[in-house]
Amino acid sequence: MTARGYDNVLLPTDGSEATLAAVEEAGHIAALSGATVHVLSIADTRNRFESPTAGLAVDAWEQAEHERAEAAIDRAVEALPDDVPTERVVRAGIPKTEVLDYVDETDVDLVVMGTHGRTGLDHYLIGSVTERVVRNSPVPVLTVRAEG
């Protein structure tokens, strides 16, 4: 991080409305500080053998996840200001692990993530990638709650 602000902002995206809420903040911060936004999406490998679409081959599942991740990045990049430089990254794995690994492997100095604001049983059953990143990130994490 320089005296003018952040150099590299990580924006993990799953294409959800919560992510889009974070895009605006990441874009604003990057525009003010001259930072590059690293838009990261994870092709989630946890469910490839238990696909929600019965009968889908593993290769087809992985391809569909990769395409979903690419589409999520496209959506986020399109919503960022045009003058903000971006890096587009798709990784395969477990989202919370891949986000934290990316932070460790690069010179990211801020993570901006959306949160759904789930509570109670939904939070317990679904868990929160954002919460896990907040608890374990070596750099600051700005969370942005989805509207509604």
Side-chain angles (χ1 to χ4, degrees):
M1 184 166 59
T2 64
R4 65 178 163 53
Y6 299 103
D7 294 318
N8 292 285
V9 174
L10 176 59
L11 175 66
T13 179
D14 61 5
S16 69
E17 292 303 315
T19 297
L20 292 179
V23 170
E24 184 176 341
E25 292 298 323
H28 182 72
I29 290 167
L32 287 174
S33 62
T36 297
V37 177
H38 297 246
V39 185
L40 170 68
S41 190
I42 311 303
D44 194 338
T45 59
R46 291 176 294 184
N47 297 321
R48 67 179 167 203
F49 298 111
E50 298 174 13
S51 167
T53 51
L56 191 61
V58 172
D59 289 345
W61 168 257
E62 290 175 350
Q63 181 63 31
E65 271 296 295
H66 185 82
E67 290 171 4
R68 183 207 49 79
E70 286 283 352
I73 290 173
D74 289 344
R75 191 172 177 197
V77 169
E78 288 171 8
L80 287 168
D82 291 337
D83 60 340
V84 170
T86 59
E87 292 284 332
R88 302 164 64 98
V89 182
V90 173
R91 288 189 161 191
I94 299 169
K96 69 176 175 78
T97 303
E98 293 300 324
V99 170
L100 291 167
D101 286 351
Y102 191 84
V103 170
D104 287 340
E105 296 165 10
T106 63
D107 58 353
V108 167
D109 40 39
L110 175 69
V111 180
V112 180
M113 296 183 75
T115 182
H116 295 282
R118 290 185 180 105
T119 59
L121 186 58
D122 277 349
H123 178 75
Y124 177 76
L125 293 175
I126 297 169
S128 170
V129 172
T130 302
E131 180 180 349
R132 290 181 178 106
V133 171
V134 166
R135 291 179 187 263
N136 295 293
S137 176
V139 300
V141 179
L142 172 63
T143 62
V144 182
R145 188 169 180 164
E147 306 241 347

